[in-house]
Amino acid sequence: APGQSSDWHQHHTHYLFIVTEAGTLKTEFDDGTETVSDLAFGQVVMGQKNSIHCVTNVGSARYSNSIVELKDQ
């Protein structure tokens, strides 16, 4: 939902996410930096392994994605 945020979290493996409902997402990092991204349906985005971050839906509609964590062999 618009304005909804995740908790602060960290991915300990390489990961990617696939946008399942388009929207605008703000990502805040523990070093104080942030990005705002307009994400399209079907877009695939590589995440940053070990980054500590939270995300907020700053758009006007529902946003969703599916996360795939890539395990070490």
Coordinates of all heavy atoms in Angstrom, one line a residue:
A1 N 0.8 -1.2 0.0 CA 0.0 0.0 0.0 C 0.9 1.2 0.0 O 2.0 1.2 0.5 CB -0.9 0.0 1.2
P2 N 0.4 2.3 -0.6 CA 1.2 3.6 -0.5 C 1.6 3.9 0.9 O 0.8 3.8 1.8 CB 0.3 4.6 -1.1 CG -0.6 3.8 -2.0 CD -0.8 2.5 -1.3
G3 N 2.9 4.3 1.1 CA 3.4 4.7 2.4 C 3.9 3.6 3.2 O 4.5 3.8 4.3
Q4 N 3.6 2.3 2.8 CA 4.0 1.2 3.6 C 5.5 1.0 3.5 O 6.1 1.1 2.4 CB 3.3 -0.1 3.1 CG 3.5 -1.3 3.9 CD 2.6 -2.5 3.5 OE1 2.0 -2.4 2.5 NE2 2.6 -3.5 4.3
S5 N 6.2 0.6 4.6 CA 7.6 0.4 4.6 C 8.0 -1.0 5.1 O 7.2 -1.6 6.0 CB 8.3 1.4 5.5 OG 8.1 2.7 5.1
S6 N 9.1 -1.5 4.7 CA 9.6 -2.7 5.3 C 10.4 -2.3 6.6 O 10.7 -1.2 6.8 CB 10.6 -3.4 4.3 OG 11.8 -2.6 4.2
D7 N 10.7 -3.3 7.4 CA 11.6 -3.1 8.5 C 13.0 -3.0 7.9 O 13.3 -3.5 6.8 CB 11.6 -4.3 9.4 CG 10.3 -4.4 10.2 OD1 9.6 -3.4 10.4 OD2 9.8 -5.6 10.5
W8 N 14.0 -2.5 8.7 CA 15.4 -2.5 8.3 C 15.8 -4.0 8.2 O 15.4 -4.8 9.1 CB 16.2 -1.8 9.3 CG 16.1 -0.3 9.2 CD1 15.2 0.5 9.9 CD2 16.8 0.5 8.3 NE1 15.4 1.8 9.5 CE2 16.3 1.8 8.5 CE3 17.8 0.3 7.4 CZ2 16.9 2.9 7.8 CZ3 18.4 1.4 6.7 CH2 17.9 2.7 6.9
H9 N 16.5 -4.4 7.2 CA 16.9 -5.8 7.0 C 18.2 -5.9 6.2 O 18.6 -4.9 5.6 CB 15.8 -6.6 6.4 CG 15.4 -6.1 5.0 ND1 14.6 -5.1 4.8 CD2 15.7 -6.6 3.8 CE1 14.4 -4.9 3.5 NE2 15.1 -5.9 2.9
Q10 N 18.7 -7.1 6.1 CA 19.9 -7.3 5.4 C 19.8 -8.7 4.6 O 19.3 -9.6 5.2 CB 21.1 -7.4 6.3 CG 22.5 -7.6 5.7 CD 23.6 -7.6 6.7 OE1 23.4 -7.8 7.9 NE2 24.8 -7.3 6.2
H11 N 20.3 -8.8 3.4 CA 20.3 -10.0 2.7 C 21.7 -10.5 2.7 O 22.7 -9.8 2.3 CB 19.9 -9.8 1.2 CG 18.5 -9.3 1.1 ND1 17.4 -10.2 0.9 CD2 18.0 -8.1 1.1 CE1 16.3 -9.4 0.8 NE2 16.6 -8.2 0.9
H12 N 21.9 -11.7 3.2 CA 23.3 -12.2 3.4 C 23.8 -13.0 2.2 O 24.9 -13.4 2.2 CB 23.3 -13.2 4.6 CG 23.0 -12.4 5.9 ND1 23.9 -11.6 6.5 CD2 21.9 -12.4 6.7 CE1 23.4 -11.1 7.6 NE2 22.2 -11.5 7.7
T13 N 23.0 -13.1 1.1 CA 23.4 -13.7 -0.1 C 23.1 -12.7 -1.2 O 22.4 -11.7 -1.1 CB 22.6 -15.0 -0.4 OG1 21.2 -14.6 -0.5 CG2 22.8 -16.0 0.7
H14 N 23.7 -13.0 -2.4 CA 23.3 -12.2 -3.6 C 21.8 -12.4 -3.8 O 21.3 -13.5 -3.6 CB 24.1 -12.6 -4.8 CG 25.6 -12.2 -4.7 ND1 26.0 -11.0 -4.8 CD2 26.6 -13.0 -4.5 CE1 27.3 -10.9 -4.7 NE2 27.7 -12.2 -4.4
Y15 N 21.1 -11.4 -4.3 CA 19.7 -11.6 -4.6 C 19.2 -10.7 -5.7 O 19.9 -9.8 -6.1 CB 18.9 -11.4 -3.3 CG 18.8 -9.9 -2.9 CD1 17.7 -9.1 -3.2 CD2 19.8 -9.3 -2.2 CE1 17.6 -7.8 -2.8 CE2 19.8 -8.0 -1.8 CZ 18.7 -7.2 -2.1 OH 18.6 -5.9 -1.8
L16 N 18.0 -11.0 -6.2 CA 17.4 -10.1 -7.2 C 15.9 -10.1 -6.9 O 15.4 -10.9 -6.1 CB 17.6 -10.6 -8.6 CG 17.2 -12.1 -8.9 CD1 15.7 -12.1 -9.4 CD2 18.1 -12.6 -10.0
F17 N 15.3 -9.1 -7.4 CA 13.8 -9.0 -7.3 C 13.2 -8.8 -8.6 O 13.7 -8.1 -9.5 CB 13.3 -8.1 -6.1 CG 13.6 -6.7 -6.3 CD1 12.7 -5.8 -7.0 CD2 14.7 -6.1 -5.7 CE1 13.0 -4.5 -7.1 CE2 15.0 -4.7 -5.9 CZ 14.1 -3.9 -6.5
I18 N 12.0 -9.3 -8.7 CA 11.2 -9.2 -10.0 C 9.9 -8.4 -9.6 O 9.2 -8.8 -8.7 CB 10.8 -10.5 -10.5 CG1 12.1 -11.4 -10.8 CG2 10.0 -10.4 -11.8 CD1 11.8 -12.9 -10.7
V19 N 9.7 -7.3 -10.3 CA 8.6 -6.4 -10.0 C 7.3 -7.1 -10.5 O 7.2 -7.4 -11.7 CB 8.7 -5.0 -10.6 CG1 7.5 -4.2 -10.4 CG2 10.0 -4.4 -10.1
T20 N 6.3 -7.3 -9.6 CA 5.1 -8.0 -9.9 C 3.9 -7.0 -10.0 O 2.9 -7.3 -10.5 CB 4.7 -9.1 -8.9 OG1 4.8 -8.6 -7.6 CG2 5.8 -10.2 -9.1
E21 N 4.1 -5.8 -9.4 CA 3.1 -4.7 -9.5 C 4.0 -3.4 -9.6 O 4.7 -3.1 -8.6 CB 2.1 -4.6 -8.4 CG 1.1 -5.8 -8.4 CD 0.1 -5.6 -7.3 OE1 -0.8 -4.8 -7.5 OE2 0.2 -6.4 -6.3
A22 N 3.9 -2.7 -10.7 CA 4.8 -1.5 -10.9 C 4.5 -0.4 -9.8 O 3.4 -0.3 -9.2 CB 4.5 -0.9 -12.3
G23 N 5.6 0.4 -9.6 CA 5.4 1.5 -8.6 C 6.7 2.2 -8.4 O 7.7 2.0 -9.1
T24 N 6.7 3.1 -7.4 CA 7.8 3.9 -7.0 C 8.3 3.5 -5.6 O 7.5 3.5 -4.7 CB 7.5 5.4 -7.1 OG1 7.0 5.7 -8.4 CG2 8.7 6.2 -6.8
L25 N 9.6 3.1 -5.5 CA 10.1 2.6 -4.3 C 11.3 3.4 -3.8 O 12.2 3.7 -4.6 CB 10.5 1.1 -4.5 CG 10.8 0.3 -3.3 CD1 9.5 0.0 -2.6 CD2 11.4 -1.1 -3.8
K26 N 11.3 3.8 -2.6 CA 12.4 4.5 -2.0 C 13.2 3.5 -1.2 O 12.6 2.8 -0.4 CB 12.0 5.7 -1.1 CG 13.2 6.4 -0.4 CD 12.8 7.6 0.4 CE 12.0 7.2 1.7 NZ 11.8 8.4 2.5
T27 N 14.5 3.4 -1.4 CA 15.4 2.6 -0.6 C 16.3 3.4 0.3 O 17.0 4.3 -0.3 CB 16.2 1.6 -1.5 OG1 15.3 0.9 -2.4 CG2 17.0 0.6 -0.7
E28 N 16.3 3.2 1.6 CA 17.2 3.9 2.5 C 18.2 2.9 3.0 O 17.9 1.8 3.3 CB 16.4 4.4 3.7 CG 15.3 5.4 3.3 CD 14.5 5.8 4.5 OE1 14.9 6.6 5.3 OE2 13.3 5.3 4.6
F29 N 19.5 3.4 3.0 CA 20.6 2.6 3.5 C 21.1 3.1 4.8 O 20.9 4.2 5.2 CB 21.7 2.6 2.4 CG 21.3 2.0 1.1 CD1 20.8 2.8 0.1 CD2 21.3 0.7 0.9 CE1 20.4 2.3 -1.1 CE2 20.9 0.1 -0.3 CZ 20.5 1.0 -1.3
D30 N 21.8 2.2 5.5 CA 22.2 2.5 6.9 C 23.3 3.6 6.9 O 23.6 4.2 8.0 CB 22.7 1.3 7.7 CG 23.9 0.6 7.1 OD1 24.1 0.7 5.8 OD2 24.6 -0.1 7.8
D31 N 23.9 3.9 5.8 CA 24.9 5.0 5.7 C 24.2 6.4 5.5 O 24.9 7.4 5.4 CB 26.0 4.7 4.7 CG 25.4 4.8 3.2 OD1 24.2 5.0 3.0 OD2 26.2 4.5 2.3
G32 N 22.9 6.4 5.5 CA 22.2 7.7 5.3 C 21.8 8.0 3.9 O 21.1 8.9 3.6
T33 N 22.3 7.2 2.9 CA 22.0 7.5 1.5 C 20.6 6.9 1.2 O 20.1 6.0 1.9 CB 23.0 6.9 0.5 OG1 23.1 5.5 0.7 CG2 24.4 7.6 0.8
E34 N 20.0 7.3 0.1 CA 18.7 6.8 -0.3 C 18.6 6.9 -1.8 O 19.2 7.8 -2.4 CB 17.5 7.4 0.4 CG 17.3 8.9 0.2 CD 16.2 9.4 1.0 OE1 16.0 9.2 2.2 OE2 15.3 10.2 0.3
T35 N 17.8 6.1 -2.4 CA 17.4 6.2 -3.8 C 15.9 6.1 -4.0 O 15.3 5.5 -3.1 CB 18.1 5.0 -4.6 OG1 17.6 3.8 -4.2 CG2 19.6 5.1 -4.5
V36 N 15.4 6.7 -5.1 CA 14.0 6.5 -5.4 C 14.0 6.0 -6.8 O 14.6 6.5 -7.7 CB 13.3 7.9 -5.3 CG1 11.8 7.7 -5.8 CG2 13.3 8.4 -3.9
S37 N 13.2 4.9 -7.0 CA 13.2 4.2 -8.3 C 11.8 4.0 -8.8 O 11.0 3.5 -8.0 CB 13.9 2.8 -8.2 OG 15.2 3.0 -7.7
D38 N 11.5 4.3 -10.1 CA 10.3 4.0 -10.7 C 10.5 2.6 -11.3 O 11.4 2.4 -12.2 CB 9.9 5.0 -11.8 CG 9.5 6.3 -11.2 OD1 8.8 6.3 -10.2 OD2 9.9 7.4 -11.7
L39 N 9.7 1.6 -10.9 CA 9.9 0.2 -11.3 C 8.8 -0.3 -12.1 O 7.6 -0.1 -11.7 CB 10.1 -0.6 -10.0 CG 11.3 -0.2 -9.2 CD1 11.3 -0.8 -7.8 CD2 12.6 -0.6 -9.9
A40 N 9.1 -0.9 -13.2 CA 8.1 -1.4 -14.2 C 7.8 -2.8 -14.0 O 8.6 -3.6 -13.5 CB 8.6 -1.2 -15.6
F41 N 6.5 -3.2 -14.3 CA 6.1 -4.6 -14.2 C 7.1 -5.5 -15.0 O 7.4 -5.2 -16.1 CB 4.7 -4.8 -14.7 CG 4.3 -6.2 -14.8 CD1 3.9 -6.9 -13.7 CD2 4.3 -6.9 -16.0 CE1 3.5 -8.3 -13.8 CE2 4.0 -8.2 -16.1 CZ 3.5 -8.9 -15.0
G42 N 7.6 -6.6 -14.3 CA 8.5 -7.5 -15.0 C 10.0 -7.1 -14.9 O 10.8 -7.9 -15.3
Q43 N 10.2 -5.9 -14.4 CA 11.6 -5.5 -14.3 C 12.4 -6.4 -13.3 O 11.8 -6.7 -12.2 CB 11.7 -4.0 -13.8 CG 13.1 -3.4 -13.8 CD 13.0 -1.9 -13.5 OE1 11.9 -1.3 -13.6 NE2 14.2 -1.3 -13.3
V44 N 13.6 -6.7 -13.6 CA 14.5 -7.5 -12.7 C 15.6 -6.6 -12.2 O 16.2 -5.9 -13.0 CB 15.1 -8.7 -13.4 CG1 16.0 -9.5 -12.5 CG2 13.9 -9.6 -14.0
V45 N 15.8 -6.6 -10.9 CA 16.8 -5.7 -10.3 C 17.7 -6.5 -9.4 O 17.2 -7.3 -8.5 CB 16.1 -4.6 -9.4 CG1 17.1 -3.7 -8.8 CG2 15.1 -3.8 -10.3
M46 N 19.0 -6.4 -9.5 CA 19.9 -7.0 -8.7 C 20.1 -6.2 -7.4 O 20.2 -5.0 -7.4 CB 21.3 -7.1 -9.3 CG 21.4 -8.2 -10.4 SD 21.0 -9.9 -9.9 CE 22.3 -10.2 -8.7
G47 N 20.0 -6.9 -6.2 CA 20.2 -6.2 -5.0 C 21.6 -6.2 -4.6 O 22.5 -6.9 -5.2
Q48 N 22.0 -5.5 -3.5 CA 23.3 -5.5 -3.0 C 23.5 -6.4 -1.8 O 22.9 -6.1 -0.7 CB 23.7 -4.0 -2.6 CG 23.6 -3.0 -3.7 CD 23.8 -1.6 -3.2 OE1 24.1 -1.4 -2.1 NE2 23.7 -0.7 -4.2
K49 N 24.3 -7.4 -2.0 CA 24.5 -8.4 -0.9 C 25.1 -7.6 0.3 O 25.9 -6.8 0.2 CB 25.6 -9.4 -1.4 CG 25.9 -10.5 -0.3 CD 26.9 -11.4 -0.9 CE 27.4 -12.4 0.2 NZ 28.4 -13.4 -0.3
N50 N 24.6 -8.0 1.5 CA 25.0 -7.5 2.8 C 24.7 -6.0 3.1 O 25.0 -5.5 4.1 CB 26.5 -7.7 3.0 CG 26.8 -9.2 3.2 OD1 26.0 -9.9 3.8 ND2 27.9 -9.6 2.6
S51 N 24.0 -5.3 2.2 CA 23.6 -4.0 2.5 C 22.4 -4.0 3.5 O 21.5 -4.8 3.4 CB 23.1 -3.2 1.2 OG 21.9 -3.7 0.7
I52 N 22.5 -3.1 4.4 CA 21.4 -2.9 5.4 C 20.5 -1.8 4.9 O 21.0 -0.7 4.6 CB 22.0 -2.6 6.8 CG1 22.9 -3.7 7.2 CG2 20.9 -2.3 7.8 CD1 23.7 -3.4 8.5
H53 N 19.2 -2.1 4.7 CA 18.3 -1.2 4.1 C 16.9 -1.4 4.5 O 16.5 -2.4 5.1 CB 18.4 -1.3 2.6 CG 18.1 -2.6 2.1 ND1 19.0 -3.7 2.1 CD2 17.0 -3.1 1.5 CE1 18.4 -4.8 1.6 NE2 17.2 -4.5 1.2
C54 N 16.0 -0.4 4.2 CA 14.6 -0.5 4.3 C 14.0 0.1 3.0 O 14.6 0.9 2.4 CB 14.0 0.0 5.6 SG 14.1 1.8 5.7
V55 N 12.8 -0.3 2.7 CA 12.2 0.2 1.5 C 10.8 0.8 1.8 O 10.1 0.2 2.7 CB 12.1 -0.8 0.4 CG1 13.4 -1.2 -0.1 CG2 11.3 -2.1 0.8
T56 N 10.4 1.8 1.1 CA 9.1 2.4 1.3 C 8.4 2.6 0.0 O 9.0 3.1 -1.0 CB 9.2 3.8 2.0 OG1 9.9 3.6 3.3 CG2 7.9 4.4 2.3
N57 N 7.1 2.3 -0.1 CA 6.3 2.6 -1.3 C 6.0 4.1 -1.3 O 5.1 4.5 -0.5 CB 5.1 1.7 -1.3 CG 4.2 2.0 -2.5 OD1 4.4 2.9 -3.3 ND2 3.1 1.2 -2.6
V58 N 6.6 4.8 -2.1 CA 6.3 6.3 -2.2 C 5.4 6.6 -3.4 O 5.2 7.8 -3.7 CB 7.6 7.1 -2.2 CG1 8.4 7.0 -0.9 CG2 8.5 6.8 -3.4
G59 N 4.9 5.6 -4.0 CA 4.0 5.9 -5.1 C 2.5 6.0 -4.6 O 2.3 6.0 -3.4
S60 N 1.6 6.1 -5.6 CA 0.2 6.3 -5.2 C -0.6 5.0 -5.3 O -1.8 5.1 -5.2 CB -0.4 7.4 -6.2 OG -0.3 7.0 -7.5
A61 N 0.0 3.9 -5.6 CA -0.7 2.6 -5.8 C 0.1 1.5 -5.1 O 1.2 1.7 -4.7 CB -0.9 2.3 -7.3
R62 N -0.6 0.4 -5.0 CA 0.1 -0.8 -4.4 C 1.3 -1.2 -5.3 O 1.3 -1.1 -6.5 CB -0.9 -2.0 -4.4 CG -0.4 -3.3 -3.9 CD -1.5 -4.3 -4.0 NE -0.9 -5.6 -4.1 CZ -1.1 -6.6 -3.3 NH1 -1.8 -6.4 -2.2 NH2 -0.6 -7.8 -3.5
Y63 N 2.4 -1.6 -4.6 CA 3.6 -2.1 -5.3 C 3.9 -3.5 -4.7 O 3.7 -3.7 -3.5 CB 4.8 -1.1 -5.0 CG 6.1 -1.7 -5.3 CD1 6.6 -1.7 -6.6 CD2 6.9 -2.4 -4.4 CE1 7.8 -2.3 -7.0 CE2 8.1 -3.0 -4.8 CZ 8.5 -2.9 -6.1 OH 9.7 -3.5 -6.4
S64 N 4.4 -4.4 -5.5 CA 4.9 -5.6 -5.0 C 6.0 -6.2 -5.9 O 6.2 -5.8 -7.0 CB 3.8 -6.6 -4.9 OG 3.3 -7.0 -6.2
N65 N 6.8 -7.1 -5.3 CA 7.9 -7.8 -6.0 C 8.0 -9.2 -5.4 O 7.5 -9.5 -4.3 CB 9.2 -7.0 -6.0 CG 9.8 -6.8 -4.6 OD1 9.8 -7.7 -3.8 ND2 10.3 -5.6 -4.3
S66 N 8.8 -10.0 -6.1 CA 9.2 -11.3 -5.6 C 10.7 -11.3 -5.5 O 11.4 -11.0 -6.5 CB 8.7 -12.4 -6.6 OG 7.3 -12.5 -6.5
I67 N 11.2 -11.8 -4.4 CA 12.6 -11.8 -4.2 C 13.2 -13.2 -4.4 O 12.6 -14.2 -4.0 CB 13.0 -11.3 -2.7 CG1 12.5 -9.9 -2.6 CG2 14.5 -11.5 -2.4 CD1 12.7 -9.4 -1.2
V68 N 14.3 -13.3 -5.1 CA 15.0 -14.5 -5.3 C 16.4 -14.4 -4.7 O 17.2 -13.5 -5.1 CB 15.1 -14.9 -6.8 CG1 15.9 -16.2 -7.0 CG2 13.7 -15.0 -7.4
E69 N 16.7 -15.2 -3.7 CA 18.0 -15.2 -3.1 C 18.9 -16.3 -3.7 O 18.4 -17.4 -3.9 CB 18.0 -15.4 -1.6 CG 17.3 -14.2 -0.9 CD 17.5 -14.2 0.6 OE1 17.9 -15.2 1.2 OE2 17.2 -13.2 1.2
L70 N 20.1 -15.9 -4.2 CA 21.0 -16.8 -4.9 C 21.9 -17.4 -3.9 O 22.8 -16.7 -3.3 CB 21.7 -16.0 -6.0 CG 20.8 -15.2 -6.9 CD1 21.7 -14.4 -7.8 CD2 19.9 -16.2 -7.7
K71 N 21.8 -18.7 -3.7 CA 22.6 -19.4 -2.6 C 24.0 -19.7 -3.2 O 24.2 -20.0 -4.4 CB 21.9 -20.7 -2.2 CG 20.5 -20.5 -1.7 CD 20.6 -19.6 -0.4 CE 19.2 -19.5 0.2 NZ 19.1 -18.6 1.3
D72 N 25.0 -19.7 -2.3 CA 26.4 -20.1 -2.6 C 26.4 -21.6 -2.9 O 25.7 -22.3 -2.3 CB 27.4 -19.7 -1.5 CG 27.5 -18.2 -1.3 OD1 27.3 -17.5 -2.3 OD2 27.7 -17.8 -0.2
Q73 N 27.3 -22.0 -3.8 CA 27.4 -23.4 -4.1 C 28.5 -24.1 -3.2 O 29.4 -23.5 -2.8 CB 27.8 -23.7 -5.5 CG 26.6 -23.3 -6.4 CD 26.9 -23.6 -7.9 OE1 28.1 -23.8 -8.3 NE2 25.9 -23.6 -8.7

